[in-house]
Amino acid sequence: MNSMLPKAGEGHTDLKRVMSIWEDLKTSGIRPDLNCYNTLLRLCRDSKPNEQPMAFEIYREMLASDIFPDCRTFDILLMVCWKLKRFDTAREVWDEIKDHVQDRKLKLDSQLCNSLLHVGARSDRGTNTEEIAKFIDELRQIMQTQKIEADKIHFDRLIVAYGKANQLDKAQNIFNTMVKKGMKADLYTYTALLSACDETNNPQAAYDVFHKMVSQKPDTTSTPHPLKPHQQPLPTHRLSKYQQQQQQQQPQQQQTVQPDTLFLQKLRGVLDRNRSTALKQKVAHYYASQQQPQQQQQHHMPPPTTTATITTTIATPQH
């Protein structure tokens, strides 16, 4: 039956046609299984916004047919909640997940945990920090009990979630824990930590994130394996596409992470909101000091546009 349904992820689905096929198959005596229901839920997720709520009807039909949901079922439902901005419904999904976990009928995986953090730290009626903090504690307790290892995506989203819960100290602790585990903090990680500073309206902490980011040492840990004495490096045309990509990315891995425009705009917002002129001047001074050596080393070339843009972004007052 699953093979008779259209594939998900190929643009908006004609859900009415799909449902017609679905009903015809059931009428002919074919009983849908879990994979069929998950495929149909994915098609609802990828359909037009006004058709996406049908996913919840399909889910109720699934339960009525004594088909037990798995992690992918809940992951799809959470993404539907995210697309529809129905975060209260996402909390109801979370309550069902907890019930299944308590009955030992469901073991979470890292993908579902990451989706839960992505969707669960939001609210329809403003940010309820106590509710978000409780949700995070419950999720982390389940992960600890079920021995689910957190990956980098989870740490990044956990930092954002603690910011939403108005717990900057915990967000900073998660950042430090991630680094101690050997995970490299990238632009997304620093932006997540800056978002936590923004949520808690802490300009000094926001500047500290910026300073930590630009003060880090270049990453030289990712080096290619040395060639043996009898080996010679292969010419580019003999390398696989993956090897060519790795070769092109190698110089980038040895560079420090630099703020992008979005990061700087968020930083500027925190500093402006708190009238932190001195901290804004520190940021502008940093980029001015970086610009001088570049002009001396590359006097025949104009200074990078990013530097000028960054200095203007931070220094220019907002009206």
Side-chain angles (χ1 to χ4, degrees):
M1 181 176 181
N2 198 31
S3 60
M4 300 179 186
L5 296 173
K7 293 182 180 180
E10 298 181 348
H12 288 322
T13 306
D14 186 351
L15 203 56
K16 290 183 180 179
R17 184 176 68 86
V18 171
M19 293 306 300
S20 177
I21 297 173
W22 178 264
E23 294 300 330
D24 289 345
L25 291 172
K26 289 195 298 181
T27 302
S28 64
I30 299 176
R31 186 174 184 271
D33 59 10
L34 176 61
N35 288 332
C36 292
Y37 275 106
N38 281 348
T39 298
L40 187 56
L41 287 172
R42 289 190 187 95
L43 292 170
C44 292
R45 178 198 64 192
D46 298 335
S47 64
K48 298 176 183 178
N50 63 322
E51 296 176 332
Q52 290 169 355
M54 194 174 293
F56 302 109
E57 297 178 20
I58 301 299
Y59 175 67
R60 286 190 288 270
E61 177 188 313
M62 174 182 171
L63 296 179
S65 302
D66 293 327
I67 304 295
F68 191 78
D70 63 359
C71 287
R72 297 290 68 76
T73 308
F74 289 119
D75 188 65
I76 297 165
L77 291 175
L78 287 169
M79 289 303 102
V80 173
C81 291
W82 172 258
K83 287 188 171 187
L84 296 174
K85 306 301 180 187
R86 290 173 56 172
F87 302 120
D88 283 355
T89 304
R91 303 296 172 87
E92 296 175 8
V93 174
W94 168 235
D95 288 337
E96 291 196 37
I97 291 173
K98 288 189 294 182
D99 290 341
H100 292 316
V101 169
Q102 188 174 4
D103 295 339
R104 298 185 178 182
K105 295 180 179 179
L106 181 69
K107 186 181 188 305
L108 308 191
D109 59 17
S110 59
Q111 181 177 335
L112 179 55
C113 292
N114 291 345
S115 295
L116 280 164
L117 274 179
H118 185 57
V119 182
R122 271 76 173 173
S123 174
D124 281 339
R125 295 183 295 273
T127 303
N128 186 329
T129 57
E130 293 182 0
E131 186 178 356
I132 293 175
K134 179 184 177 183
F135 156 72
I136 298 172
D137 291 341
E138 290 174 341
L139 177 59
R140 296 193 71 188
Q141 180 61 48
I142 292 175
M143 291 182 66
Q144 183 177 358
T145 302
Q146 296 191 346
K147 298 181 180 179
I148 302 171
E149 289 291 332
D151 57 13
K152 183 187 174 300
I153 294 176
H154 187 84
F155 279 118
D156 288 344
R157 292 182 177 178
L158 190 56
I159 291 170
V160 174
Y162 271 129
K164 293 283 186 182
N166 200 27
Q167 296 182 345
L168 179 58
D169 55 336
K170 290 188 177 181
Q172 292 168 330
N173 289 338
I174 292 298
F175 177 91
N176 295 332
T177 300
M178 189 191 84
V179 174
K180 287 179 181 178
K181 285 181 175 288
M183 299 180 187
K184 180 67 177 176
D186 57 13
L187 177 59
Y188 189 93
T189 310
Y190 283 107
T191 304
L193 188 54
L194 180 61
S195 296
C197 301
D198 188 14
E199 290 287 347
T200 55
N201 201 30
N202 191 322
Q204 183 60 55
Y207 172 78
D208 291 342
V209 173
F210 166 79
H211 187 263
K212 186 195 298 282
M213 183 182 192
V214 298
S215 301
Q216 64 180 321
K217 295 180 180 179
D219 179 16
T220 57
T221 57
S222 302
T223 55
H225 293 290
L227 294 173
K228 295 179 181 179
H230 65 279
Q231 290 179 321
Q232 295 294 328
L234 290 173
T236 303
H237 70 274
R238 292 278 305 279
L239 297 175
S240 66
K241 288 185 178 179
Y242 174 77
Q243 289 172 322
Q244 291 178 26
Q245 290 174 353
Q246 291 296 101
Q247 193 177 69
Q248 292 172 358
Q249 292 173 359
Q250 188 62 35
Q252 297 176 357
Q253 292 175 343
Q254 296 182 2
Q255 296 177 0
T256 58
V257 180
Q258 291 297 320
D260 63 356
T261 304
L262 178 63
F263 181 97
L264 290 166
Q265 287 176 343
K266 189 180 291 289
L267 176 61
R268 175 185 175 180
V270 182
L271 301 184
D272 277 346
R273 193 163 56 248
N274 292 274
R275 302 176 182 270
S276 303
T277 306
L279 295 178
K280 286 178 65 175
Q281 289 176 345
K282 282 186 178 182
V283 177
H285 177 73
Y286 166 79
Y287 282 108
S289 66
Q290 294 297 306
Q291 188 173 353
Q292 276 187 334
Q294 291 177 7
Q295 289 176 335
Q296 292 174 359
Q297 293 174 7
Q298 302 176 357
H299 56 88
H300 59 285
M301 296 176 60
T305 55
T306 53
T307 302
T309 304
I310 286 167
T311 306
T312 304
T313 300
I314 291 293
T316 305
Q318 287 182 329
H319 298 288

